[in-house]
Structures are given as C-alpha cells and as structure tokens.
Amino acid sequence: MTTDTVTDTPRLRRLGWAGVEIALGDTLLLIDPLENTAPLAPVMGLPRRPLPPVDAPAGTHALITHLHPDHYDRELIARLAVSGTVGCHTPTASALAEHGVTAEAQELGEARRIGPLTVTPVASLDWRGSDCDQVAWIVEGAGVRIIHCGDTMWHGNWWQIARDHGPFDVAFLPVNGVIARFEGYEANVPVTLTPEQAVEAAAALGATAACAIHYELFDNPPAYVEQPDIAARFGRAARERGITPHLVADGEAVPLGGGHVIPA
C-alpha cells in the first residue's frame, strides 16, 4: 500500500510495560516492545504477571527510546531487524551494531518516513543526566500525532517539544515514579515521572489524552520501589487538568478521542 492510498486512522495498542504498537495501513510499528524479562531480575525483580507475547509478523518496524533492558529487548529487536527497520538515536547505533543490529540512526528532530508514518526523536532525560542518549519518539500519520516518552524523568524540554511538534492526540508517559538504587546514582528522588508529573508533562505537551505506561509490573525493594496508588492519582490529576486519562491493560487498544477513560 502506498502512502497516498492510506485512508484509515492509526490503531494504537498498549503492549507490556512500556511497549506500544501503532498500525496504519499495512505498516506495523512497535516502540520499546518487551518480551524477555530475565535480564531485569537483578534490579527490577520478577514481573508480577506474565507479559503478553509480541505479535510481530515479517516486516514489523521498531523504535527504541534507549538501551535499558526493559526498553531494549535485545533478543526481540534482533528478530525484528531481520525483515523490518529498527530506529534509534544516533549515539546508540554503535552499541546496536555490536549486537548485530543495523539501525536507522536519527538525530534529535530528524524525521524519517516508515510507510505512511513519520517518526522523529526528541529530547528526553533519565537519571544519568545529559549523556543518557535517551529520546522520546513522535509518530505521525493520517492526521494523528502521538508521543512516546520512554521512561523519562521530569525535564524542561516539554514546552519546546510542544512548540516544535505539538499538540498531541495521545501522550504515552511513564507513571511509576520509581525510587531506584543504582551504584553511583542513589537518591530519594524518582527517576521516572510520578503520576502527577506525567499529567503535567501531558499538559505542557498540549496532549488531549495521556496513556499511562511503565507501571504496576515491577517492584523490588530496596533496589526498585514503585509509587503507591498510581491509578487513582493519575486519573485524579488528569481530570483536574482536563486531560483524558487512559489506563489500558496489556494488549488492549488505546482509543483516539475521549473514550475508555478511568472511572472516577
């Protein structure tokens, strides 16, 4: 199918953990898909429930926000790279090459076409600071624009992203506000967005709806401690901001528009 003949609306689906699926026409794109959790156990512990298998037929494309193993499933990405493309921020391409994956490397703000979709990496931030090479991904197609924010902390780039690329129909945002104990990086400060910070990020981005990702799967004190009452806090904060909140189970569709909201 050529890009000129695509007339349908992108279909969004939340996968396990931070994974998101975007389909438009014959194009299938996955962001941060995760199947293999064994590498996570030493820090994050075992998942509270099995992750759904990732349905990735030949020709499926992938984007990764960064190389943490809960966002970069090395075995899965290598499989996808055989017949589809793998997109990454330019500084991570060499690490992927060492793993046998030839990636489509993009600089911040550089757009690339994948069939009827356009994908663009923008600034993000994690606990390692400016050298983290983490990005958020903007995906546009058929008049719909979404952003996937990986496992970012709060940062000051939200407003510039909104000016350059917004507004957004859906912002996928981490909400577990985890307190983590990494060697050399120990502080009682969340290293991902809290539920309230995620909503504020969605507001700054000009997002109509916010979909929670990256929560209620791993909790492994004292190394990895998740925030309490995530669903209630996220829903309450979003409604106060006039943003449609989505808490979507693994494998379920994420609606465009105002449907499927969290009960009050």
Side-chain angles (χ1 to χ4, degrees):
M1 179 178 291
T2 67
T3 57
D4 293 334
T5 62
V6 173
T7 58
D8 61 348
T9 300
R11 301 172 306 283
L12 309 178
R13 194 162 67 95
R14 181 173 177 247
L15 306 177
W17 193 230
V20 171
E21 175 187 282
I22 303 107
L24 181 59
D26 294 333
T27 299
L28 184 64
L29 173 66
L30 310 181
I31 305 177
D32 287 358
L34 178 65
E35 279 186 335
N36 303 293
T37 60
L40 314 180
V43 173
M44 298 173 66
L46 298 175
R48 294 170 170 173
R49 59 183 181 275
L51 273 72
V54 176
D55 182 15
T60 298
H61 302 273
L63 302 172
I64 55 175
T65 57
H66 61 302
L67 295 178
H68 291 174
D70 58 324
H71 294 258
Y72 167 47
D73 184 331
R74 180 172 171 178
E75 180 180 329
L76 176 57
I77 292 298
R79 190 169 81 237
L80 296 176
V82 172
S83 60
T85 64
V86 173
C88 72
H89 187 206
T90 297
T92 67
S94 58
L96 292 172
E98 292 175 2
H99 300 161
V101 174
T102 300
E104 299 286 339
Q106 294 171 248
E107 298 289 347
L108 294 181
E110 178 185 358
R112 176 169 66 96
R113 294 285 291 184
I114 303 176
L117 300 172
T118 300
V119 301
T120 307
V122 293
S124 189
L125 186 68
D126 78 8
W127 44 271
R128 289 175 296 175
S130 60
D131 66 342
C132 69
D133 299 334
Q134 183 171 163
V135 295
W137 283 100
I138 295 168
V139 181
E140 303 176 70
V144 171
R145 183 182 299 117
I146 71 103
I147 185 168
H148 183 293
C149 295
D151 69 353
T152 188
M153 300 174 72
W154 179 263
H155 58 75
N157 292 298
W158 307 114
W159 292 273
Q160 189 63 52
I161 293 169
R163 287 190 289 268
D164 292 344
H165 302 282
F168 297 93
D169 296 281
V170 182
F172 292 91
L173 294 151
V175 296
N176 67 339
V178 67
I179 302 293
R181 298 286 186 266
F182 304 115
E183 184 178 356
Y185 299 91
E186 296 186 7
N188 290 321
V189 175
V191 300
T192 57
L193 297 175
T194 67
E196 293 81 9
Q197 287 174 334
V199 169
E200 289 303 306
L205 289 166
T208 302
C211 183
I213 59 172
H214 203 273
Y215 70 103
E216 292 183 351
L217 186 65
F218 298 98
D219 190 51
N220 186 39
Y224 195 90
V225 183
E226 185 173 75
Q227 296 271 319
D229 303 321
I230 287 173
R233 291 165 55 190
F234 178 71
R236 181 169 57 248
R239 282 187 288 271
E240 289 174 355
R241 269 299 207 165
I243 293 170
T244 299
H246 295 309
L247 280 179
V248 179
D250 296 348
E252 285 194 358
V254 178
L256 290 166
H260 199 113
V261 300
I262 303 168

